[in-house]
Amino acid sequence: MAGRLVVVSNRVGDPRKPAAGGLAVAVGEALAASGGLWFGWSGKVVEQGDSGAMHSQQSGKVTLATLDLNAADHEAYYEGYSNRVLWPVFHYRLDLADFEAGFFEGYQRVNRLFARKLMTLLRPNDVIWVHDYHLIPLAAELRAAGCTQRIGFFLHIPLPPPLILAAIPAHEWLMRSLFAYDLVGLQSEADVEHFSRYVKSEAGAEPLGDDHYRAFDRQVRARAFPIGIDVNEFAALGETAESMEIRKTLHEQYAKRQLLIGVDRLDYSKGLPQRLRAFRRLLANYPENLKSATLIQVATPTREGLNAYADIRRELEGLSGEINGEFGELDWMPVRYIHRTLARRRLPGLYRAGRVALVTPLRDGMNLVAKEFIAAQDPEDPGVLVLSRFAGSAEQLREALLVNPYDTGATAEAVQRALRMPLGERRERHQALLTRIREQDVHWWRISFLRALEEAERAPG
Ligand code: GDG
């Protein structure tokens, strides 16, 4: 890549420090490889005054440039439009979307502010890579301010079908905004299909072949770039003393038990109540699992200010209590529910101790936990991945046991099959999955996106 890489995302992390989430890890990797500028919100909300105070800090080869938001902007742009409109709708949850509260102007205002501030930092040969739903209109704002550099966009969450998108009052404006980019990257082929159907039916776009579309007097390229993990880094993390220690402790504590593992942000898209109900059905339908099968569910706190998140937390706590009350014994509790963030270096040990991983979102852009679980397994005696067909990763991870998380009985049956799976089959499936996540890892993701951005034909005008 010829020019400097400029990454823009809502939050900015320090690439030298371990990050908790998928986006931060992947973006940190991209920047650490080439150096460049990482631009976004500082994470700071100022109670009084205007948004836009800038901070700059150097982290190795990467410059971190961030800006503060005032309370009104943060509420409308982040908590409001991003997380109470776009997040639920893009995860097919129209019932949870709040279209009425007037967040839209705040979303536009903050995107314009980001563009204005970023313009002062850009150099002529920069290549700009914008991430995720918070910043869909950023390229349009940059273009309006005179930016002519190449700009790519990657959406980390799913793109829903046209009729669901059409429920957003500003859907045309949002989708038109995507045509200000030179390249739009999506997680899965299903998302690309939704993009293609939307722009054809709603915007009369002409497909030009080779992933190019023309509409709104502009041309954009849209393609799937399924995000991956750094398999070697994650496997190495599993060899650290702390990871081994966890694995040993869990092995000792659960020598006679079968461990099932779930690790998710406590988000309604992750299907956690459905998962617990399937686990309850497993215990009820297959009593040989009593006093044996134990589910460790880590549910990391997230977006706690929003009602929908408080509701899901209450529901989950209630269900865990019910299952433990109904099935638990003095020496065995079926559900261990942990509502905290674990240190990243502890995760591989936890995954490795699991006989089965339950990754059963109702909808998910990709889901990196599924890939981390595979990377952390002992190839000689690997655990089994039970994966929702509604996770973007299900397109790649065909050798997992794919389930419909809404079907409690069938999910319980698949978990039972996973628990009973013979070693030979476990090895074969794991080998195939490991090969796939190695081929399409996070380096492949970055390189193929940036190469496609470099090659994307510049639109006239
Ligand atoms: C979005 C999209 C897409 C989880 N709990 C802890 C913890 N984690 C880490 C996991 C994993 C990451 O957070 C979660 O990534 P996911 O991909 O599973 O899900 P989202 O956070 O919803 O991410 C998703 C992703 O963006 C990337 O494009 O795959 O579909 O929704 O890395 O390990 N990390 C630590 N402690 C925890 O308790 N340290």
Side-chain angles (χ1 to χ4, degrees), residues 74-217:
H74 173 256
E75 159 77 15
Y77 148 81
Y78 180 71
E79 297 213 326
Y81 205 73
S82 296
N83 286 326
R84 286 169 66 185
V85 177
L86 297 180
W87 178 274
V89 174
F90 281 38
H91 288 88
Y92 300 33
R93 292 298 301 269
L94 292 177
D95 57 317
L96 294 177
D98 184 352
F99 298 121
E100 297 291 335
F103 302 132
F104 179 58
E105 287 73 22
Y107 181 73
Q108 281 184 310
R109 192 167 60 236
V110 171
N111 270 276
R112 194 163 304 139
L113 175 72
F114 265 53
R116 208 159 39 82
K117 296 287 178 179
L118 181 58
M119 282 301 282
T120 64
L121 304 175
L122 291 179
R123 300 177 191 156
N125 286 331
D126 283 347
V127 173
I128 306 165
W129 189 3
V130 179
H131 290 261
D132 230 0
Y133 58 102
H134 316 86
L135 299 171
I136 291 171
L138 188 68
E141 295 292 351
L142 285 167
R143 298 281 184 231
C147 174
T148 54
Q149 287 87 336
R150 253 161 223 267
I151 318 178
F153 177 73
F154 186 79
L155 183 66
H156 289 255
I157 65 176
L159 189 74
L163 277 182
I164 292 190
L165 266 180
I168 301 176
H171 66 97
E172 280 176 14
W173 172 84
L174 269 178
M175 295 300 283
R176 188 179 341 113
S177 305
L178 287 176
F179 279 76
Y181 291 96
D182 298 296
L183 174 68
V184 172
L186 299 163
Q187 295 273 30
S188 68
E189 295 302 335
D191 298 326
V192 173
E193 163 74 19
H194 295 156
F195 176 84
S196 167
R197 272 174 40 208
Y198 180 95
V199 296
K200 277 187 233 164
S201 65
E202 302 280 332
E206 303 158 44
L208 303 174
D210 198 21
D211 314 319
H212 286 84
Y213 300 84
R214 162 164 290 285
F216 312 110
D217 291 328

Side-chain angles (χ1 to χ4, degrees), residues 19-26 87 91 132 154-158 187 227-229 234 263-265 267 269-270 298-301 303 340-347 351 359 363-370 372 392 445:
L23 185 149
V25 171
W87 178 274
H91 288 88
D132 230 0
F154 186 79
L155 183 66
H156 289 255
I157 65 176
Q187 295 273 30
I227 194 169
I229 63 166
F234 205 78
V263 175
D264 308 78
R265 284 187 308 99
D267 193 287
S269 64
K270 302 292 180 184
V298 178
T300 314
R303 302 175 199 164
R340 271 199 316 277
T341 304
L342 301 186
R344 184 168 168 79
R345 60 187 182 282
R346 308 188 75 177
L347 290 176
Y351 292 139
V359 181
R363 194 75 188 101
D364 215 330
M366 178 54 52
N367 197 296
L368 295 178
V369 170
E372 291 168 355
W445 173 74

Side-chain angles (χ1 to χ4, degrees), residues 25 34 56 66 124 175 177 280 339 351-352 383 389 397 434:
V25 171
S34 61
S56 178
T66 58
M175 295 300 283
S177 305
R280 177 161 66 190
H339 183 239
Y351 292 139
R352 178 95 165 225
R389 57 174 297 180
L397 306 180
L434 188 62

